[in-house]
Amino acid sequence: MTDFGGAIKKSRDYDLAIIGVPFDEKSCFLRGAALGPAAIRAASTGRALNPFTELGVNLEKEAVLVDWGDVDTSGDVDKTFSRIEAAVLEVVGKKARPIILGGDHSVTYPVVRALAKKFSALSLLHFDAHPDLYEELYGDRYSHACPFARIMEEGLAKELVQVGVRAATSDQRAVASRHGVRMIEMKDLEGGPVLSFRNPLYISFDLDALDPAFAPGVSHHEPGGLTTRQAVDIIHSLKANLVGMDVVELNPTRDPSGITAAAAVKIIKETAGKMVQKGRGSRKN
Ligand code: MN
Ligand code: MN
């Protein structure tokens, strides 16, 4: 049972599509993120949780959520990135919203490349301990430490807001300021920021944004992060038209209790609920 609280249906037409990307070839430290999609699906079973979000959306009744399956990640990286792009284009071509299960964070670049073909102005909300703005890492411009540098230099997004950062280098700060990136660092986080976006919004959620106490199942432990509650509150209070999301960097080899996979499911459910809610704003405000 791998069904997001029982909400997954089989249908040719749908509102939301889960896309797995079992890929970790661009991880600079530990492998394991390729096991992420299967672990997230397993943790989502309707035998353990129900299809309601905290804001009262019934994902089973109020939306058609399908599981598109996994992108083929065999062969070289260029092929994988092209297949990711094609999968996202197929979903947005149906006016539906993709929910990508990573995989390491490198997969966000081809996802956004696809979205940029559909949305001329796109905003990004990026939860992460790291800015992922390296020009290159160990000679690799497509490392999981680099996707937002590629996205911004290619002009694929108009706006990038980062939340949860606590491992920025001076080089990455320089890249951030060159591209007008708004970095909401942990050291400056006060209460729950209410974020509003005028352009269609894509959320990229690196699970290491969460404190390792709440989400140990990631490759790069960086203490001092968000509580799962803080992340959910920020998502609930968003004022934006959400057009898709990813949850990346789950490393099940470091998640023996499954708590990180459970946090991933929680983040996905609550964000999917925001996608389903009609109109802009939230019931909280
Ligand atoms: Mn990342
Ligand atoms: Mn990270």
Side-chain angles (χ1 to χ4, degrees), residues 3 6 49 64 88 91 104 121 144 183 191 200 204 209 212 219-220 230 279 284:
D3 54 14
L49 42 100
V64 179
V88 171
V91 169
D104 71 37
H144 72 155
M183 222 186 253
S204 184
S219 295
H220 300 259
Q230 279 177 301
K284 261 186 141 180

Side-chain angles (χ1 to χ4, degrees), residues 18-61:
I18 303 284
I19 300 172
V21 185
F23 177 83
D24 58 14
E25 292 176 41
K26 291 296 181 182
S27 299
C28 64
F29 176 44
L30 303 175
R31 303 291 284 265
L35 304 169
I40 294 172
R41 287 187 176 101
S44 80
T45 173
R47 296 173 70 172
L49 42 100
N50 67 55
F52 282 83
T53 72
E54 291 186 12
L55 299 183
V57 173
N58 182 343
L59 291 171
E60 185 181 4
K61 296 277 189 273

Side-chain angles (χ1 to χ4, degrees), residues 92 96-98 115 119 122-123 200-202 241-245 275:
V92 297
R97 294 163 162 83
L115 290 173
F119 302 102
L122 192 64
S123 289
L201 180 69
Y202 180 78
N241 171 29
L242 283 165
V243 296
M245 78 174 305
M275 292 177 184

Side-chain angles (χ1 to χ4, degrees), residues 104-106 108 126-133 144-148 204-209 220 248-249:
D104 71 37
H105 217 156
S106 67
T108 299
H126 168 205
F127 290 86
D128 208 317
H130 316 92
D132 291 354
L133 285 168
H144 72 155
C146 305
F148 293 91
S204 184
F205 199 105
D206 182 330
L207 288 162
D208 69 28
H220 300 259
V248 297
E249 295 287 349

Side-chain angles (χ1 to χ4, degrees), residues 19-219:
I19 300 172
V21 185
F23 177 83
D24 58 14
E25 292 176 41
K26 291 296 181 182
S27 299
C28 64
F29 176 44
L30 303 175
R31 303 291 284 265
L35 304 169
I40 294 172
R41 287 187 176 101
S44 80
T45 173
R47 296 173 70 172
L49 42 100
N50 67 55
F52 282 83
T53 72
E54 291 186 12
L55 299 183
V57 173
N58 182 343
L59 291 171
E60 185 181 4
K61 296 277 189 273
E62 296 177 55
V64 179
L65 171 64
V66 301
D67 192 336
W68 186 93
D70 281 347
V71 171
D72 175 4
T73 56
S74 62
D76 64 34
V77 172
D78 285 351
K79 283 201 183 105
T80 294
F81 279 16
S82 298
R83 293 187 198 113
I84 293 169
E85 211 175 314
V88 171
L89 282 171
E90 182 182 320
V91 169
V92 297
K94 289 176 176 274
K95 296 194 164 42
R97 294 163 162 83
I99 296 173
I100 290 93
L101 314 180
D104 71 37
H105 217 156
S106 67
V107 307
T108 299
Y109 167 59
V111 170
V112 173
R113 212 163 54 184
L115 290 173
K117 291 179 178 167
K118 167 91 175 173
F119 302 102
S120 57
L122 192 64
S123 289
L124 303 181
L125 174 58
H126 168 205
F127 290 86
D128 208 317
H130 316 92
D132 291 354
L133 285 168
Y134 281 108
E135 297 281 12
E136 50 88 22
L137 194 69
Y138 309 137
D140 186 355
R141 288 168 50 77
Y142 299 97
S143 160
H144 72 155
C146 305
F148 293 91
R150 298 293 81 75
I151 286 166
M152 296 314 284
E153 77 190 12
E154 292 180 26
L156 301 178
K158 288 270 182 287
E159 177 185 26
L160 171 59
V161 177
Q162 301 184 314
V163 177
V165 174
R166 53 194 186 278
T169 63
S170 56
D171 285 353
Q172 291 190 96
R173 288 184 197 283
V175 174
S177 87
R178 191 185 326 142
H179 293 299
V181 177
R182 180 180 173 202
M183 222 186 253
I184 304 175
E185 298 185 53
M186 285 309 299
K187 66 184 175 58
D188 303 320
L189 194 69
E190 286 171 13
V194 176
L195 302 172
S196 51
F197 296 88
R198 261 181 299 164
N199 302 317
L201 180 69
Y202 180 78
I203 294 183
S204 184
F205 199 105
D206 182 330
L207 288 162
D208 69 28
L210 301 176
D211 193 275
F214 297 89
V218 295
S219 295

